[in-house]
Amino acid sequence: MAAARQTLFRSLTRCALSQPRACIRFQTTATKASNELIKEQREKCFAELGIQPYPRYAAPAPEYPLVSHAHMHSRWGKSLDSGAKLTDAKLTVQGRLVSKREASKKLFFFDVEQDGQTVQVVASQVRYDGDSTQFQAVNRALMVGDIVRFSGFVGKTNTGEISVFATHRPELLAPCVRPIPLRSGLSDMEKRFRNRHLDLLVNPKAKRVLKMRAQALQYIRRFLDSREFIEAETPVLSPSVGGASARPFITKAMAFDETMLYMRVAPELYLKQLVIGGLDRVYEIGKQFRNEGIDADHNPEFTTCEFYMAFAALEDLMQMTEDLLRGMAETLTGSAAVSLPGDDADSAPINFGPSFRRIDVMQELRKHIPELPQTLNEGSLNELQSILAGRDIPVAHPHTVPRLLDRLVGFYIEPQCVQPTFLYGHPAIMSPLAKCADSEQTVSARFELFVNGKELVNAYEELNDPNQQRVKFQAQAMERDQGDDEVPLPDSAFCDALEAGLPPTAGWGMGVDRVIALLSGVTHLRETIAFPIMRPLAK
């Protein structure tokens, strides 16, 4: 950062050689300069040169049409010989100045970046059709970081670099008055995510990840739209919370006499009510909010895609999951095989091409725990506590049957799931909103997809019996009484809606941030979020 600031100061001291007083004033105070001083000195320089630093945007002259950098490279990058000049190919380029080199008083080289593409601009006094006495001062006044526009013609330098040979006075569209670490870079995580605009300017990968995020969302929408799904929007604020076990964020509504409202933890119950209402295929891509910890795989604010499909079963969802992720990997990365990031880079790539592996949860658990009870219900708590204690498997309180079972699955099965793996056959007590797959009502019609040891998808056939749903909600209420405050309160309004008739429906949810992290090769979810939440700085 210091190097960038010194470069900026040196450049400013040379600004406007025809106006020496301003430069002298800057030189005498440069060592004590702050951002405000940089701004002040640049403004003086602009005023003396007649430069409007924050002009209203206007299209360039018709004879110099605006051309994107990508178009320049594709049209002329390979077709011109070194040293060739197309004086009739007049155009204008604009963007951020990322490099500036002064070859002599009469020759400047600029690199201008726009949308990830860089174009060189050659400004020579020989071709300059403005006031030649100001040529040097005007070009020196431009600083790295400025938003600029140049007009001229296309050509290549003698070294073969495609360039715009400027013929007009450069236009400043917006100055940069705070140093940008373009050369020194920005790698400190705290600084990166607290100054995301700088991170995106100096770290190309950060920008690529956010672009891939946009492409992933577009792909998901195309995939579902092509299968006649309708995108819906459900409330983010609600007087009740449900659809997942998670601690919600709570606020109050001034318009309703400070009624307590919850930020949603999942859109599930609302989306199923849309299916009841006759929208047979609905989906929502949106933010969920869970008041829990932050780590590489969790963020309090995260994005999911959930869809609900009437007249479908678990096998339909498995096939759709394979098709979606295989197609997304191929579209976004060019291959169904995705390399792992970080320390796992030398491992075999994640391959979405073949049919995904399948593991029956209860069968696999019994391989490791022969003494696991045959029937798992609310009365199995003591047995499960003994199993975990006897095997020295730590588990946080509160202890409930679903939590202990989830811990066993996480300990014995999830680490096996490096390649895409469906886990199915969960105990019914772990899935209060799912139908059962057996007549004894002990196994849920559910699957989870794990990749690289992380859950990406959770899906099941939706319970549509209102009486059974009420019973399961009451069982959850007992878990709250045992101290699990993440379990939602029973939602009687949803049970009432079920009495209108929910068709046999399959529901599916995917953590979008985790999928993007995997496909883009980053190890932390915050890399996939434009502005991840950060701990407030101490005052």
Side-chain angles (χ1 to χ4, degrees), residues 318-340:
M318 287 183 169
Q319 187 61 55
M320 288 182 68
T321 302
E322 291 189 9
D323 292 343
L324 172 68
L325 290 173
R326 184 179 299 118
M328 189 186 303
E330 291 173 347
T331 300
L332 271 60
T333 71
S335 172
V338 179
S339 298
L340 289 171

Side-chain angles (χ1 to χ4, degrees), residues 9 14 127 183 216 241 247 265 270 300 337 388 449 471 513 528:
F9 291 162
R14 295 198 301 267
R127 303 184 186 89
R183 289 189 178 180
V241 62
R247 185 178 293 109
V265 297
Y270 282 113
L388 285 153
L449 175 69
V471 170
D513 306 315
T528 73

Side-chain angles (χ1 to χ4, degrees), residues 373 375-386 401 404 429:
T375 301
L376 293 163
N377 52 36
E378 294 84 354
S380 307
L381 181 60
N382 292 336
E383 290 178 90
L384 291 174
Q385 287 176 321
S386 297
V401 172
L404 299 187
I429 195 171

Side-chain angles (χ1 to χ4, degrees), residues 220 224 229-232 234 242-244 264-272 281-288 290 302-309 433 458 460 462 506-512:
I220 294 169
L224 294 173
F229 281 81
I230 295 172
E231 185 169 10
T234 61
R264 72 178 178 195
V265 297
E268 176 170 344
L269 302 187
Y270 282 113
L271 289 172
K272 285 194 279 195
R281 298 186 178 195
V282 293
Y283 75 94
E284 181 170 13
I285 298 174
K287 294 286 189 182
Q288 316 308 325
R290 300 183 182 179
F302 61 100
T303 300
T304 65
C305 173
E306 290 199 17
F307 72 73
Y308 293 83
M309 183 178 181
L433 293 168
N458 186 25
Y460 39 83
E462 303 298 333
W508 181 96
M510 181 177 73
V512 172

Side-chain angles (χ1 to χ4, degrees), residues 365-410:
L365 280 180
R366 288 200 169 93
K367 290 179 183 177
H368 300 277
I369 314 169
E371 68 272 27
L372 194 69
Q374 288 298 315
T375 301
L376 293 163
N377 52 36
E378 294 84 354
S380 307
L381 181 60
N382 292 336
E383 290 178 90
L384 291 174
Q385 287 176 321
S386 297
I387 288 171
L388 285 153
R391 294 164 180 266
D392 293 324
I393 301 174
V395 59
H397 286 276
H399 288 180
T400 64
V401 172
R403 279 179 173 267
L404 299 187
L405 286 171
D406 188 66
R407 182 70 181 97
L408 289 172
V409 172

Side-chain angles (χ1 to χ4, degrees), residues 50-100:
I51 296 174
Q52 168 56 263
Y54 301 98
R56 289 187 63 198
Y57 185 79
E63 60 269 27
Y64 288 89
L66 186 62
V67 172
S68 72
H69 295 189
H71 178 75
M72 264 200 68
H73 285 289
S74 64
R75 183 171 179 183
W76 293 293
K78 296 181 179 179
S79 62
L80 289 181
D81 296 330
S82 297
K85 308 288 189 298
L86 300 179
T87 56
D88 292 333
K90 299 178 179 179
L91 50 75
T92 298
V93 294
Q94 60 190 14
R96 186 178 294 275
L97 194 59
V98 295
S99 175
K100 172 185 173 182

